[in-house]
Amino acid sequence: GIVEQNYVGDEPCVPDCSQGSTNSQDLICRYLSQIRLFRVSSLHSQGPTWARHRSDRLYRGETYKLQIDAHMVFVRDWDEKIITQWLSTGNEYAILSSYPTEVAGSINGITGESLSHTVPVICGADPSRGDGLVRNKGAAEGPQRPVPMLQPFWAAGMSFSRGHLTLRVPYDCCTSMMFTGEEFSMLLRSWTHGYDVYAFNESLIFHYYPPSRLKQVPLFWENTKRMGGHKVRLKSTNRMRILLDLTGSTASKIKDYDDTDSEKYGLGKVRQVSTFLAIFGIGVNQTNPVIQDHCGKIMSGKVHSYLTQYLERNTGIDYSKVPLNAMDLID
C-alpha cells in the first residue's frame, strides 16, 4: 500500500505500466497487481498521521505489516530475514521497530548483503513541553544480537509486525497536521492492546539521509494556513491527549477537540497506560515533564532479559506480574 503525495512534475511511485509503455517490463509493473496506491497532491497533505491513516485503509488481510518512510534501501532476501527475526521473538504481539541506519556504506552494491555490524535501538525520549506529549530521541547504534531486543519506544519510519496490528490499532482518522506525538500515541495505543516493541537484531533496511545542504525540501507544514492554521494542529493535539488519557486535572478545560470514533482510536484494554509510564519512568504533564534515563540498562540487554521472563507467547509480556519499580531492580 502506497500513499503518494507528489507535487506537479514529481516522478510517480508507480510508473505507467500500460501495454506498449517503455516501463511495461519494469519490475514494479510485473507485480502491479500486488500494489495498492492512494494518490493525493502534496498541496493537500496534512501530515504523517493523516497519510498513514490512509495507508492503513489499504490493508487487505495480509499476514504481516511493514510500515516505512520513503527513500529506503533493502538488503537481499530482506523479506525472509525479517520474518525470521520476528518469529525468533516467540511473541505473537512483537513489533520490530527503529529509525534505520544511514545507507551509505551499509550495503554491498554487488551482493546486496549488509555491511553493518550494528543495529539502531531507541532507548530514550524527550518531553514535549507545553502539550504533555513525548518525542523519541534518535536511535543509538548497538551490537547485533542473536534475537531482537525489547525497547520501550516505537518508530513510525520502520515497523514490522503481524497484520492484525492494523485492525486493532489503526492510525487515527482525525489528527491532521500532527507531527510531535505521533509515535508516542501509537506506542501507548499498541502497548495497551498488548503489543511489545523490539529493536531488530540485524539491520535489513537502511535509509537515505540527505546532506544538510539538501534538507530544505518541501514539508507538509507549508500547508498549515491552507488547512486551517495552527488551530487545526492544536485541536489534533487536544484529541490525542484526551484519547491517551494524558490530560490529568486539565481534562475538563479542554473543549476544542474532535471525539470522532474515540473508542476505536483510543487506548486498549489489555494493559493500563499508567503501568507503562510507571515502569519506564515517564512523568507526563504540561508544566514539568520528566523522563528517566534507562539507556544503559536497555542497550546492555538487561531490560530485555528481565522482561522476557514474563513473556507469554500468545499474549506478549504479562505486565501484571512486572513490578512497577522494575527498572530499579535491574542492575
Side-chain angles (χ1 to χ4, degrees), residues 11 17 61 69 93 147 178 191-194 210 236 294 321:
E11 184 177 348
C17 295
D69 284 338
Y93 286 80
V147 295
M178 282 292 298
W191 193 88
T192 55
H193 276 84
S236 295
H294 298 301
K321 299 177 181 178

Side-chain angles (χ1 to χ4, degrees), residues 56 59 65 92-94 162-171 186 189-195 263-270 314-316:
D56 276 356
Y59 177 71
K65 172 187 179 179
E92 174 70 15
Y93 286 80
R162 280 291 304 272
H164 51 59
L165 176 65
T166 306
L167 301 177
R168 295 172 181 172
V169 193
Y171 256 84
M186 291 298 289
R189 291 178 57 213
S190 60
W191 193 88
T192 55
H193 276 84
Y195 291 89
E263 184 171 348
K264 178 178 180 180
Y265 297 111
L267 296 170
K269 299 179 180 179
V270 176
N314 294 322
T315 56

Side-chain angles (χ1 to χ4, degrees), residues 5 60 108 216:
Q5 304 172 86
R60 295 296 183 272
N108 185 309
Q216 299 302 317

